[in-house]
Amino acid sequence: MDVRLHREFDVTVVAIRPWGLEVEFQDGTPGLVDNTKNPAWISGDRLSVVGAALRVVVIDDERDPVRLSALGVDLDIARTKRSG
């Protein structure tokens, strides 16, 4: 899968960890949404469910697993960068 900086994807939550959500892309590629990049964690609603779908943007494609964000502000920044 072509997982590059500022690209958007739909991912599935596969595990909840104290530091964030482990997710998978449609092809099984792993990713991580840090707690601070998860709107549910910021709002205090930490009941993200394994199997839930999230719209995310790649914020660090050099790490393994790639780091992702589900925050609207990060999605907006990525869209601006892709369009400019």
Side-chain angles (χ1 to χ4, degrees):
M1 176 163 265
D2 188 19
V3 179
R4 287 185 288 162
L5 192 60
H6 306 305
R7 296 223 21 217
E8 290 182 45
F9 296 93
D10 292 316
V11 297
T12 303
V13 177
V14 295
I16 301 168
R17 304 286 182 234
W19 53 87
L21 302 175
E22 291 182 17
V23 298
E24 279 187 357
F25 292 85
Q26 290 177 345
D27 70 350
T29 301
L32 176 72
V33 178
D34 185 272
N35 281 336
T36 61
K37 297 297 185 178
N38 177 1
W41 186 84
I42 292 171
S43 71
D45 177 16
R46 296 182 180 98
L47 298 178
S48 297
V49 180
V50 171
L54 288 177
R55 184 70 175 176
V56 297
V57 63
V58 178
I59 57 173
D60 188 346
D61 58 358
E62 305 255 332
R63 296 182 69 180
D64 186 23
V66 296
R67 297 308 194 259
L68 308 164
S69 175
L71 295 180
V73 66
D74 289 330
L75 289 161
D76 290 342
I77 290 168
R79 291 173 184 150
T80 300
K81 289 187 177 281
R82 286 194 317 263
S83 69

